[in-house]
Amino acid sequence: MPDDIRQTTRAFVEKEISFDLAREIDQQDIYPDALLRKFSQTGLWGINIDEKYGGMGGHSVDAMPIYEELSRRLPVLAWVIGNIMLYGNDIIGINGSESQKEKFLPALAEGKLRFSFALTEPEAGSDAANISIKAVFHDGAYWITGNKMFITGAGVSDYVVTMTRTATHRYKGITAFVVDTSTPGYSANPLKKLGYHGSNTCSVHYENVRVRPEDVLGGESSLNQGWNQMVTLLNSERLALSACALGIGQAGLDEAIAFYKQHYRFSQPNGRFQAVQHALAEMATELEAARRLAYHAAWLVTQNVDCLKETSMSKYFTTETAKKICLRGIDLLGSEGGTLAYNLQRYLRDVLVLTIGGGTSQIQKNIIAKQIGLDQG
Ligand SMILES: Cc1cc2nc3c(=O)[nH]c(=O)nc-3n(C[C@H](O)[C@H](O)[C@H](O)COP(=O)(O)OP(=O)(O)OC[C@H]3O[C@@H](n4cnc5c(N)ncnc54)[C@H](O)[C@@H]3O)c2cc1C
């Protein structure tokens, strides 16, 4: 199955996403809705949805080749599709109530629904459990008031799974609600960003947004279970982002190699020729090591063993490696590397954001340090 998935995605990229289109989406900050609709032709939207609900019955890590291949041409498309596959398909498939699964999963499997996930707040990023947005119960419903920040797709999604505070306990006082974005009081404003243009990353305001008890993710009995529900997705999230990084790293390396073949090979003295070759060899080696780490961690996830250390190492190493490759690639292109004629500057801007989203490199290192037995103070 993984090879088929990779081939299907690669064929989709070649058919539908020219480099010119990728550049236009980046430069004009366009949410790639038309491509999301076309992606339905691949039949891959339901890759991690149970067959009972119209999906392919795979695991979330089966989607990694999709993210990798899309990121090789248009990283933001992988980011947006991954967001829906994780925070629609997976979050509902793993934690949803039966009625939520029946309502959402068949439409998600057909690519007909857009989901976002709202955890981060202006005062709660890396320290995610510090969220303060409140959902207060009265008159038979919960009423959400407060702000969220950096929420991907929040201005275009049908539903936003929103993490709220429903009790004072740091972890056991958090509830996830499936919020319909057409509810009065919900508003989202896109932010201008360095990279991942087109991802519709927004600041979101909730002004007395009404949600029913049955809109708690998992149903009313899952009140105050939001933190545990989120934790079930963390390994998959880190690996999805790892796959995005692998694709960007490969794209950066490919462009640097193509440039080398065209510009250096027959025109430069031998010394420079070898120095550049060595740089490219190092980039290829580090990328290969990153790929092995990511897919080994993915295999561990499918074995249901504890692999927090490996998935954190993967997120940290793949994103930092891809960043290094893009920086080095731009260097090798000389002045051309800084021009919009080449894609490396776009890949670099995207990967700089990728080291932050889903837990920064510093946070991944904190987790790894703890996992190798170091005191956290
Ligand atoms: C493009 C983009 C899309 C995003 N999409 C979403 C989304 O859809 N939903 C969502 O909920 N969030 C989303 N986020 C938010 C993202 O998860 C947070 O930005 C990230 O967790 C970091 O939080 P912060 O920005 O508040 O940084 P901070 O937590 O304020 O961190 C600032 C700096 O301090 C460092 N730092 C913080 N704490 C520690 C520590 N304990 N030890 C060492 N260093 C530390 C960080 O590594 C970082 O370098 C997105 C972010 C971006 C950039």
Side-chain angles (χ1 to χ4, degrees):
M1 177 153 104
D3 281 350
D4 291 350
I5 292 165
R6 189 178 291 280
Q7 292 311 329
T8 303
T9 312
R10 198 172 286 179
F12 169 77
V13 168
E14 289 308 326
K15 181 166 172 253
E16 302 292 351
I17 317 173
S18 65
F19 280 104
D20 283 346
L21 177 62
R23 247 175 244 130
E24 187 189 339
I25 285 172
D26 173 56
Q27 286 172 18
Q28 296 181 27
D29 207 347
I30 301 167
Y31 182 75
D33 197 55
L35 286 174
L36 294 185
R37 276 185 270 116
K38 285 182 178 168
F39 186 71
S40 303
Q41 297 160 10
T42 64
L44 291 174
W45 270 116
I47 189 163
N48 54 340
I49 292 177
D50 198 320
E51 284 158 312
K52 183 178 162 194
Y53 304 103
M56 293 167 70
H59 191 282
S60 162
V61 298
D62 292 330
M64 287 172 68
I66 299 177
Y67 308 140
E68 222 187 314
E69 292 302 321
L70 294 176
S71 294
R72 289 180 68 177
R73 184 68 52 90
L74 181 59
V76 71
L77 188 61
W79 179 269
V80 167
I81 287 179
N83 204 58
I84 298 168
M85 285 184 170
L86 282 169
Y87 302 119
N89 300 8
D90 259 348
I91 211 164
I92 299 289
I94 295 171
N95 298 296
S97 63
E98 190 50 42
S99 63
Q100 286 165 346
K101 289 180 188 180
E102 284 168 8
K103 178 175 177 187
F104 298 124
L105 293 179
L108 281 162
E110 290 182 20
K112 289 183 176 160
L113 277 184
R114 310 277 178 259
F115 263 71
S116 290
F117 178 65
L119 170 65
T120 305
E121 296 179 6
E123 301 303 325
S126 299
D127 186 11
N130 197 35
I131 61 164
S132 61
I133 187 172
K134 284 196 171 48
V136 178
F137 187 77
H138 63 83
D139 297 328
Y142 287 87
W143 302 81
I144 305 176
T145 299
N147 296 307
K148 292 287 182 183
M149 195 63 183
F150 303 124
I151 310 306
T152 300
V156 289
S157 286
D158 303 291
Y159 294 92
V160 178
V161 177
T162 305
M163 306 299 277
T164 65
R165 184 147 294 291
T166 39
T168 49
H169 191 282
R170 187 168 157 80
Y171 301 105
K172 293 180 191 161
I174 292 178
T175 299
F177 286 96
V178 183
V179 176
D180 182 333
T181 59
S182 64
T183 312
Y186 175 92
S187 59
N189 290 303
L191 302 162
K192 289 277 176 207
K193 306 185 306 301
L194 172 73
Y196 277 126
H197 292 168
S199 64
N200 191 255
T201 302
C202 296
S203 61
V204 186
H205 182 61
Y206 299 72
E207 185 68 47
N208 256 333
V209 173
R210 182 182 184 277
V211 277
R212 302 162 308 166
E214 57 264 43
D215 295 325
V216 172
L217 177 64
E220 204 173 352
S221 60
S222 298
L223 192 73
N224 294 322
Q225 296 299 312
W227 187 263
N228 289 341
Q229 291 174 328
M230 187 193 68
V231 167
T232 62
L233 295 190
L234 288 183
N235 280 333
S236 297
E237 180 186 65
R238 291 189 193 109
L239 291 174
L241 297 174
S242 299
C244 290
L246 293 175
I248 296 178
Q250 187 66 55
L253 178 63
D254 289 347
E255 190 162 69
I257 290 174
F259 187 90
Y260 163 79
K261 286 184 174 167
Q262 208 181 347
H263 294 268
Y264 279 96
R265 198 151 172 214
F266 301 109
S267 62
Q268 301 296 332
N270 272 345
R272 189 169 177 191
F273 174 76
Q274 196 178 42
V276 176
Q277 280 199 354
H278 282 190
L280 292 168
E282 282 166 20
M283 289 152 74
T285 307
E286 286 167 23
L287 186 62
E288 186 62 24
R291 186 171 284 118
R292 301 282 165 143
L293 184 58
Y295 280 93
H296 175 65
W299 178 77
L300 289 175
V301 166
T302 63
Q303 302 307 299
N304 282 325
V305 294
D306 181 10
C307 52
L308 176 60
K309 180 181 78 178
E310 287 81 1
T311 58
S312 301
M313 284 177 167
S314 171
K315 201 293 175 161
Y316 161 59
F317 190 68
T318 53
T319 55
E320 291 294 338
T321 299
K323 181 161 87 179
K324 251 168 81 179
I325 288 172
C326 293
L327 277 169
R328 192 80 181 95
I330 287 178
D331 203 30
L332 294 178
L333 265 61
S335 303
E336 296 287 359
T339 68
L340 298 185
Y342 287 87
N343 297 294
L344 264 157
Q345 47 76 32
R346 171 164 63 89
Y347 302 145
L348 176 67
R349 286 186 283 106
D350 289 346
V351 86
L352 286 172
V353 172
L354 199 50
T355 59
I356 298 168
T360 67
S361 292
Q362 290 77 16
I363 294 302
Q364 304 306 329
K365 282 190 270 189
N366 286 353
I367 297 168
I368 297 162
K370 193 171 176 189
Q371 293 295 309
I372 60 173
L374 304 180
D375 194 353
Q376 298 289 289

